[in-house]
Amino acid sequence: MSDKTYDLLVLGAGPGGYVAAIRAAQLGLKTAIVDANAALGGTCLRIGCIPSKALLDSSHRYHSAQHELIDHGVHVAGVGLDLEKMMQRKDKVVKALTGGVKSLMKKNEVDVTHGRGVLRGPGEVEVTGDEGEKTTLEAEKIVLATGSVPSTLPGVELDGDRVGSSTEALAYPEVPERLVVIGAGYIGLELGSVWARLGSQVTVLEYLDRILPGMDLEIAKAAQKIFQKQGLELRLGTKVTGVERDGDLCRVQSEGNDPIECDRVLVAVGRKPASQEIGLEEVGVETDERGFVQVDEHYATNVPGVYAIGDLIGGALLAHKAEEEGIACVESIVTGYGHVHYDAIPGVVYTEPEIASVGRTQEQLEEDGVPFKKGTFPYRGNGRARAMGAEEGLVKVLAHQETDRILGVHILGAHAGDLIAEAVAAIEFGATAEDLARTSHAHPTLAEIVKEACLAATEDRAIHI
Ligand code: NAI
């Protein structure tokens, strides 16, 4: 016997899940959402995107006060770090936003149940609260949106303390003197930057011979040089084989190298789907060998009435990709049509400077034998970048050789994460490089660099170089 019955129930209140719930409510469905954590918003809001951006911003200000303001003729004396206050500010930001999601649920009349939800059958979810109390909810459609959790390596056990994931690295109680980061991906570079700016000696160990696998190689190489200049020690081609704890000391072993001693280890070697203990086996929902739930183009699993979106189904593990899938899934349930354009999902690394990317990389085009032309334009050729003291970086535009259609845009430089939005819209609308090159961009803005790179891609017509 169920305690309550709904049209649609979402399991997991991260960006994928709570957005899906709001859209379902907007479309007139009686909707419920279940989350094990009382603070809604998932990994992104609680222990991911938002707190990391708060710390990236705070640590940047600290670093800038020490090293950059002087170039602007601003003398500051007695710059100090109050880490506790920095963390409190981060927590306040998180609290305001998770509270905001709760208000959104109320406004949209989505019923929130706090507890751990498990599929008990098609249309049935059992929720266990903190005190062990059980509630059964029924819904015609169930959308699984439980996200992902940090993964680790053989020989490296996450101890929730000195050898930890991003969760711990967002809340170290003191600035570690020596921090070893395993993995030069999104998390390793963002959180490695935070602690380097706050004074840690940071060593990043990366298995591959490059940083940021999947990103355009030319951009990744340019970024690598900048990070090294900033003081991040990047050891590429390093395969970590184990981590040992000796009291407060950690020893990181890697193939063919002496162990590295440090105070804390951040393991950032990817994430895995949170597909355990949510009843998938019991109900017979199919997953692949890595645990990602298998879905069709409407996000339907093999079990009728059960859908899945976001990190749980794989692809790019990004909040905004999950949001798009949540909306497409619900719209397709209600209207029969819902679609995500995966070539137009941007990726942003919030380092300083930022790295942003959308569409295909040069390597992918070469591998697929797609004829393309390329235009690049450096930040140093832009007046606004000069005025800001942000000369590092470039915009790279890849367009089809014959049709001129934009296939990929890759940006390394200040505000790359905001600038990429124009490129995403261009790809979404099937624009050509000529279209953007002939579009007026306000002067002086960084957006002019995108225009100039498009000019460069169309017959080498860039003006300011
Ligand atoms: P990642 O997949 O971005 O990078 C993991 C890195 O670890 C890779 O470079 C890989 O080659 C390396 N690695 C794997 N095994 C290794 C070994 N044995 N020794 C040394 N290096 C090894 O994963 P990351 O940084 O953990 O992030 C997880 C997910 O979270 C990503 O998929 C990312 O999309 C998402 N994320 C997104 C952010 C954003 O949008 N700004 C920020 C943080 C995370």
Side-chain angles (χ1 to χ4, degrees):
M1 257 302 279
S2 79
D3 296 287
K4 276 190 184 146
T5 304
Y6 296 93
D7 297 325
L8 186 136
L9 180 149
V10 184
L11 188 58
Y18 84 73
V19 167
I22 292 175
R23 188 70 190 115
Q26 285 174 346
L27 290 168
L29 302 188
K30 188 177 176 213
T31 308
I33 194 160
V34 176
D35 199 289
N37 207 291
L40 305 181
T43 297
C44 172
L45 264 72
R46 291 185 297 107
I47 46 171
C49 325
I50 297 299
S52 65
K53 262 80 264 175
L55 289 184
L56 277 156
D57 198 70
S58 298
S59 62
H60 176 61
R61 284 164 198 257
Y62 173 63
H63 188 263
S64 173
Q66 285 178 309
H67 304 285
E68 291 170 5
L69 290 185
I70 191 78
D71 293 340
H72 294 258
V74 181
H75 290 263
V76 279
V79 178
L81 175 65
D82 183 343
L83 185 63
E84 203 181 324
K85 177 110 195 252
M86 198 178 274
M87 292 293 172
Q88 281 166 359
R89 177 187 171 277
K90 173 207 68 176
D91 294 340
K92 216 167 125 190
V93 171
V94 169
K95 199 164 172 215
L97 286 171
T98 54
V101 175
K102 196 171 164 193
S103 312
L104 286 173
M105 294 301 108
K106 198 166 167 209
K107 181 186 156 211
N108 287 283
E109 295 176 16
V110 173
D111 273 4
V112 178
T113 303
H114 166 48
R116 186 157 286 282
V118 176
L119 263 184
R120 285 290 179 229
E124 194 180 319
V125 169
E126 183 185 83
V127 185
T128 309
D130 291 343
E131 311 297 325
E133 70 283 12
K134 292 196 190 303
T135 319
T136 300
L137 304 177
E138 269 180 14
E140 203 180 310
K141 310 281 185 197
I142 293 172
V143 178
L144 304 173
T146 50
S148 62
V149 292
S151 45
T152 186
L153 300 168
V156 183
E157 199 189 317
L158 298 175
D159 63 14
D161 176 24
R162 291 195 172 255
V163 183
S165 66
S166 47
T167 308
E168 287 75 31
L170 286 166
Y172 291 154
E174 77 292 312
V175 178
E177 207 173 301
R178 296 159 305 171
L179 170 67
V180 167
V181 177
I182 310 176
Y186 279 73
I187 294 179
L189 293 173
E190 288 185 4
L191 290 177
S193 297
V194 164
W195 292 105
R197 287 176 203 158
L198 297 180
S200 298
Q201 185 196 320
V202 178
T203 308
V204 183
L205 307 179
E206 167 58 50
Y207 174 65
L208 300 173
D209 60 358
R210 57 163 298 176
I211 64 168
L212 293 170
M215 284 259 178
D216 188 89
L217 186 59
E218 185 181 359
I219 294 286
K221 277 188 175 162
Q224 183 185 324
K225 279 196 192 133
I226 296 175
F227 297 145
Q228 280 165 329
K229 221 165 66 189
Q230 289 174 355
L232 275 192
E233 193 185 334
L234 295 169
R235 296 196 194 168
L236 305 181
T238 304
K239 185 176 177 190
V240 172
T241 52
V243 177
E244 247 177 37
R245 277 278 303 261
D246 183 357
D248 283 352
L249 190 77
C250 310
R251 260 187 223 100
V252 183
Q253 286 118 359
S254 58
E255 240 170 56
N257 302 298
D258 289 337
I260 308 176
E261 294 195 340
C262 60
D263 308 292
R264 290 189 184 269
V265 179
L266 161 58
V267 183
V269 294
R271 297 178 63 87
K272 57 184 182 188
S275 50
Q276 302 288 313
E277 294 166 25
I278 55 170
L280 298 185
E281 305 79 15
E282 194 176 326
V283 179
V285 175
E286 270 171 21
T287 59
D288 70 8
E289 68 287 352
R290 289 182 300 163
F292 290 109
V293 173
Q294 302 293 287
V295 292
D296 68 10
E297 70 277 22
H298 301 295
Y299 305 98
T301 68
N302 61 309
V303 175
V306 179
Y307 299 75
I309 58 158
D311 287 8
L312 187 62
I313 63 168
L317 308 185
L318 299 170
H320 48 278
K321 174 250 188 200
E323 287 183 32
E324 296 302 333
E325 288 176 346
I327 287 179
C329 171
V330 168
E331 288 186 350
S332 128
I333 288 171
V334 178
T335 69
Y337 183 76
H339 175 70
V340 177
H341 183 187
Y342 287 99
D343 273 341
I345 300 282
V348 181
V349 191
Y350 296 88
T351 43
E352 187 62 40
E354 292 177 354
I355 306 165
S357 168
V358 63
R360 321 276 291 278
T361 63
Q362 183 170 338
E363 295 70 51
Q364 286 168 340
L365 295 176
E366 283 166 355
E367 204 180 304
D368 296 347
V370 179
F372 68 91
K373 48 194 181 165
K374 159 179 147 180
T376 60
F377 194 85
Y379 269 61
R380 68 182 149 72
N382 174 268
R384 183 66 182 280
R386 289 277 177 137
M388 290 165 64
E391 292 96 345
E392 280 178 324
L394 73 155
V395 173
K396 172 171 174 176
V397 172
L398 300 166
H400 196 281
Q401 182 69 47
E402 280 118 42
T403 65
D404 193 36
R405 208 169 247 229
I406 297 176
L407 301 173
V409 177
H410 309 280
I411 309 178
L412 164 69
H415 299 281
D418 294 305
L419 295 180
I420 202 71
E422 178 182 14
V424 178
I427 290 182
E428 189 67 49
F429 292 140
T432 61
E434 180 87 31
D435 288 330
L436 283 196
R438 290 199 177 272
T439 302
S440 171
H441 288 67
H443 177 73
T445 59
L446 297 177
E448 290 173 285
I449 311 173
V450 178
K451 176 188 169 99
E452 291 267 20
C454 287
L455 279 166
T458 50
E459 299 156 23
D460 211 6
R461 279 156 42 205
I463 302 289
H464 294 93
I465 200 86

